[in-house]
């Protein structure tokens, strides 16, 4: 499976990652190698197989449910504590709306 | 304290009850030894002396008041730095969280301290638990105490090294595709990956949520069983944490394994397995047979698809989980601001290391429009087939015995340049992770060069009892108990 630098650039944009040209070249090579290997899965006939998203074990389906009851959570001050920039009870980010 | 490096939980508790030492003295010794050795082994990212001394003083005060010790009363514990400790840095081995101070305690941490444990340091690991050698940490590689020019394994390399080197009697690690079992094997200690859902993931920094587990390292199966008993069990804060009874794991270690049926999957003893590792595992199987177990060959036919399946699923989940580190909520933001999108992209590029970036890119690709069905959904279907292999096998056998890794600990730097080769080496551990089964690595001898080898025992969902019973009987038989 051929992975072009253009594709890696596009994926990096989707993933919000700024990559150097050197890194893009390296990752396109790595991706190509890994995706060629995973093509192995195409040997499997999975037409009638259900996809598995989570480990399923024998038990009562709702046994991990909890009551829908409100409980205390972080206060604003605590939630903002590790933010690089905050103020007036909010996370601050670069301006996104032009006046 | 002369014998700190070999103390078991029982010996610690006897020492405290008889007054040979106090919990405070023990905590002090844990910190002294670990700090002194850290220059060489780098198994800790940071220490928490204040929190440790507070916990130790609580234990000493309770003893003085005539109360009995909790199951981990006074025991120094090292915790992998992907597990939240309120008020302490929790870096995940990453630059992006270098200065992040956890907002809350993980449930496992809360339960440890409630049982009297003295958490004194946070251990080094591959960045966000992604790696098999601990060489992906932003805080440097860890050395293997058994063979210092070699890697300790990963991703929980620091936690394994802490126990192997005698810096901590027990520690917590995490295992997504083998990150407890493989370093336990490389370092010559016991490591347990519980059944998915057995231990709450609340407060475990998410890597691949459908695969992540917290579990213990120890120098004996009994000590690992004690720690597992403390951290296991239902937690309303993790909706995937199963509401099933936990057992008294210690009490299960009665040595009686007569009549247990052990499956040996033929696919695991094929090409690529180091000859010395194979020989040691075959000796291990003979020992189990001599203890009265029946050894039968089984087949797990979809094994060859496991590495591809695992690396599609774990990278997809990782790319989604790591989207939260965007320079808004978690301490680090690039000094070059620009627009919002530029701020995200620069912060993440500066903060993530090469392996994490590689996995985010792969995961984003396999989830992207046009590729989702071909890769991610295909992998989820293959996962069903792999899980069905194990379900079928456990209808006829009580446990499955395999190697942990195809080879023993390799040299620092030896495999860093080939990511795919590193991924392929996880084959024996990640296959059962996809199915959610429990597994343990128990020391099973050494190579002629003196490199530790671990044997893996796997058991069915929530059947930790059978697995620990076998591992304990094996350990006694092989004479590996701490002398």
């Amino acid at each position: 499976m051929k992975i072009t630098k253009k594709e890696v650039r596009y994926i990096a944009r989707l993933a919000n990652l700024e990559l150097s040209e050197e890194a893009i070249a390296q990752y396109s090579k790595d991706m190509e190698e890994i995706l060629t290997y995973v093509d192995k899965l195409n040997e499997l006939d999975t037409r009638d197989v259900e996809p598995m998203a989570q480990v399923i074990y024998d038990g009562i389906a709702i046994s991990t449910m909890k009551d829908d009851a409100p409980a205390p959570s972080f206060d604003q001050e605590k939630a903002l504590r590790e933010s690089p920039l905050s103020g007036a009870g909010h996370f601050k980010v670069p301006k996104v709306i032009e006046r | 304290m002369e014998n700190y490096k070999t103390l078991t939980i029982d010996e610690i508790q006897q020492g405290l009850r008889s007054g040979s030492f106090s919990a405070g003295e023990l905590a002090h010794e844990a910190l002294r030894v670990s700090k002194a050795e850290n220059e060489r082994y780098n198994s800790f990212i940071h220490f928490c002396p204040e929190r440790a001394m507070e916990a130790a003083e609580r234990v000493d005060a309770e003893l003085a008041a005539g109360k009995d010790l909790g199951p981990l009363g006074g025991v120094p514990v090292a915790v992998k730095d992907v597990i939240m400790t309120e008020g302490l840095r929790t870096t995940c081995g990453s630059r992006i969280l270098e200065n992040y101070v956890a907002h809350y305690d993980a449930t496992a941490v809360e339960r440890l301290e409630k049982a009297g444990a003295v958490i004194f340091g946070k251990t080094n690991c591959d960045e966000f638990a992604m790696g098999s050698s601990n060489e992906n940490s932003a805080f440097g590689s860890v050395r293997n105490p058994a063979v210092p020019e070699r890697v300790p394994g990963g991703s929980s390399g620091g936690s394994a090294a802490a126990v192997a080197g005698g810096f901590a009697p027990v520690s917590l690690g995490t295992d997504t595709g083998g990150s407890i079992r493989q370093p336990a094997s490389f370092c010559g200690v016991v490591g347990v990956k519980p059944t998915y859902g057995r231990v709450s993931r609340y407060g475990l920094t998410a890597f691949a949520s459908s695969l992540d587990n917290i579990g213990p390292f120890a120098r004996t199966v009994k000590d690992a069983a004690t720690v597992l008993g403390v951290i296991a069990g239902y937690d309303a804060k993790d909706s995937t944490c199963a509401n099933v009874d936990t057992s008294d794991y210690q009490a299960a270690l009665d040595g009686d394994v007569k009549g247990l049926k052990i499956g040996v999957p033929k696919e695991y003893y094929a090409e690529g397995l180091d000859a010395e590792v194979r020989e040691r595992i075959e000796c291990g199987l003979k020992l189990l047979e001599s203890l009265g177990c029946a050894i039968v060959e089984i087949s797990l036919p979809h094994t060859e698809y496991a590495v591809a399946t695992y690396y599609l699923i774990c990278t997809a989940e990782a790319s989604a989980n790591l989207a939260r580190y965007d320079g808004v909520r978690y301490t680090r933001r690039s000094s070059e601001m620009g627009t919002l999108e530029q701020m995200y992209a620069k912060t993440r590029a500066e903060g993530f290391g090469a392996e994490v970036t590689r996995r985010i890119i792969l995961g984003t690709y396999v989830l992207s429009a046009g590729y989702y069905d071909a890769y991610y959904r295909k992998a989820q279907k293959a996962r069903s087939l792999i899980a069905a292999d194990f379900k079928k096998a456990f209808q006829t056998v009580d446990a499955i015995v395999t190697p942990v890794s195809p080879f023993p600990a390799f040299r620092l730097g030896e495999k860093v340049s080939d990511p795919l080769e590193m991924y392929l080496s996880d084959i024996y551990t990640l296959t059962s992770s996809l199915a959610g089964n429990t597994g343990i690595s128990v020391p099973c001898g050494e190579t002629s060069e003196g490199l530790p080898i671990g044997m893996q025992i796997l058991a069915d969902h929530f059947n930790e009892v059978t697995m620990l019973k076998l591992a304990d009987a094996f350990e006694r038989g092989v004479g590996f108990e701490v002398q």
Side-chain angles (χ1 to χ4, degrees), chain B residues 221-304:
Chain B
V221 173
K222 189 179 177 191
D223 282 359
T226 303
V227 178
L228 181 63
V230 167
I231 61 175
Y234 177 69
D235 177 19
K237 290 171 178 166
D238 172 5
S239 65
T240 61
C241 189
N243 199 353
V244 292
D245 286 340
T246 56
S247 309
D248 183 344
Y249 298 119
Q250 263 197 51
L253 310 182
D254 56 9
D256 183 15
V257 296
K258 245 188 213 101
L260 287 178
K261 215 165 161 187
I262 292 177
V264 175
K266 59 180 183 196
E267 293 83 2
Y268 284 50
Y269 295 83
E271 202 190 338
L273 176 59
D274 177 274
E276 282 194 283
V277 174
R278 173 197 289 266
E279 196 189 309
R280 291 307 313 170
I281 302 295
E282 281 169 357
C283 285
L285 285 166
K286 282 199 190 102
L287 172 57
L288 288 171
E289 204 168 16
S290 75
L291 294 171
C293 299
I295 313 288
V296 292
E297 187 180 271
I298 58 165
S299 174
L300 298 169
H302 296 94
T303 302
E304 64 172 306

Side-chain angles (χ1 to χ4, degrees), chain B residues 300-314:
Chain B
L300 298 169
H302 296 94
T303 302
E304 64 172 306
Y305 303 102
V307 174
T309 302
Y310 175 84
Y311 277 95
L312 289 171
I313 288 172
C314 85

Side-chain angles (χ1 to χ4, degrees), chain B residues 458-471:
Chain B
L458 301 167
D460 204 359
H461 293 153
F462 305 109
N463 197 359
E464 281 83 359
V465 164
T466 299
M467 177 185 82
L468 291 165
K469 192 194 273 267
L470 274 164

Side-chain angles (χ1 to χ4, degrees), chain A residues 37-85:
Chain A
Y37 175 76
V38 304
D39 273 345
K40 195 178 172 51
L41 291 185
N42 292 326
E43 295 167 11
L44 285 173
D45 179 0
T46 53
R47 266 171 305 182
D48 301 322
V49 181
E50 282 294 310
M52 175 175 168
Q54 189 56 264
V55 175
I56 298 152
Y57 38 79
D58 298 330
I60 310 157
I62 57 160
S63 64
T64 57
M65 299 279 195
K66 61 177 179 179
D67 292 338
D68 186 16
S73 187
F74 291 170
D75 56 29
Q76 223 172 23
E77 193 189 339
K78 192 171 183 181
L80 292 169
R81 194 188 68 200
E82 298 301 309
S83 168
L85 197 63

Side-chain angles (χ1 to χ4, degrees), chain B residues 144-158:
Chain B
N144 186 332
V147 260
E149 72 280 12
R150 299 199 177 233
V151 302
S155 66
S156 310

Side-chain angles (χ1 to χ4, degrees), chain A residues 1 15-16 18 27 30 35 40-41 43-44 46 49-50 52 54 57 63-64 78 81-84 92, chain B residues 101-103 196 239 241 243 304-305 327-329 331 333 345-346 348-349 354 358 365 378 380-381 384:
Chain A
M1 174 102 194
N16 280 319
E18 187 183 270
Y27 290 128
D30 293 346
L35 290 171
K40 195 178 172 51
L41 291 185
E43 295 167 11
L44 285 173
T46 53
V49 181
E50 282 294 310
M52 175 175 168
Q54 189 56 264
Y57 38 79
S63 64
T64 57
K78 192 171 183 181
R81 194 188 68 200
E82 298 301 309
S83 168
K92 283 188 171 178
Chain B
V101 174
H103 286 94
Y196 183 84
S239 65
C241 189
N243 199 353
E304 64 172 306
Y305 303 102
V328 177
R329 287 161 293 168
T331 60
R333 176 178 290 183
K346 282 184 200 297
R348 289 162 62 77
R358 186 179 293 117
Y365 181 81
K378 183 80 183 179
Q380 285 189 316
K381 289 182 168 192
S384 286

Side-chain angles (χ1 to χ4, degrees), chain B residues 84-170:
Chain B
M84 299 285 187
T85 41
E86 186 176 359
L88 297 177
R89 278 164 70 212
T90 299
T91 67
C92 299
S94 181
R95 284 281 165 238
I96 211 160
L97 292 177
E98 194 172 3
N99 298 309
Y100 172 69
V101 174
H103 286 94
Y104 59 94
D105 277 332
T107 297
V109 163
E110 207 179 279
R111 288 182 182 174
L112 283 180
E113 288 186 334
K114 210 173 149 209
V118 175
I119 294 172
F120 70 95
K122 303 289 296 288
T123 55
N124 203 341
C125 56
D126 283 303
E127 185 176 7
F128 288 103
M130 298 180 194
S132 311
S133 68
N134 216 118
E135 289 163 296
N136 298 332
S137 167
F139 302 93
S141 301
V142 175
R143 286 179 181 274
N144 186 332
V147 260
E149 72 280 12
R150 299 199 177 233
V151 302
S155 66
S156 310
S159 294
V163 171
F167 321 145
V170 294

Side-chain angles (χ1 to χ4, degrees), chain B residues 387-457:
Chain B
D389 282 355
F390 281 94
K391 195 176 165 81
K392 189 170 164 223
F394 285 122
Q395 281 165 3
T396 57
V397 298
D398 299 295
I400 294 173
V401 169
T402 79
V404 176
S405 166
F407 38 71
F410 44 90
R411 288 187 179 76
L412 285 151
E414 192 179 324
K415 292 189 196 292
V416 282
S417 59
D418 191 344
L420 182 58
E421 195 197 337
M422 198 81 105
Y423 296 173
L424 291 171
S425 71
D426 298 337
I427 176 70
Y428 302 136
T429 48
L430 59 71
T431 312
S432 60
S433 295
L434 288 164
N437 295 109
T438 184
I440 188 170
S441 175
V442 60
C444 155
E446 294 174 346
T447 66
S448 49
E449 281 182 88
L451 308 174
I453 296 171
M455 182 175 87
Q456 177 171 241
I457 305 172

